Amino acid sequence: MSTLDETSGRQEDVAGPVLEVSTDSVPAPDRFGWWAEMVGNEVMPVTVRSAHAAVFQGRANAVELPDSQVAFFGFSR
């Protein structure tokens, strides 16, 4: 998506919407496994472990920029 800068007449790229995913919609026993799979598929291949998997909670936000993506990951230990 792009917009026209009215003052200079040039076209500028803009960021897309912020997307959010959360373990809130996943049953508690499945949250850690869902999170580990999501990170492995969407970010990079990785192995994730936690001694607190039974009470795990996580949230990720991402926004597409013209030439990249910015993401934030917040999670319990």
Side-chain angles (χ1 to χ4, degrees):
M1 173 183 271
S2 51
T3 60
L4 186 61
D5 180 341
E6 293 178 17
T7 58
S8 67
R10 64 187 172 94
Q11 200 166 356
E12 290 187 11
D13 293 322
V14 295
V18 175
L19 304 174
E20 179 178 271
V21 295
S22 168
T23 58
D24 292 348
S25 61
V26 178
D30 301 330
R31 288 178 178 170
F32 185 76
W34 177 87
W35 181 265
E37 184 176 339
M38 184 273 298
V39 170
N41 290 335
E42 299 298 325
V43 181
M44 67 180 168
V46 65
T47 300
V48 182
R49 289 182 245 165
S50 174
H52 308 281
V55 293
F56 183 83
Q57 293 181 316
R59 178 173 316 282
N61 300 82
V63 63
E64 292 286 337
L65 300 174
D67 297 318
S68 62
Q69 180 184 62
V70 175
F72 166 82
F73 294 88
F75 49 89
S76 62
R77 50 184 194 144

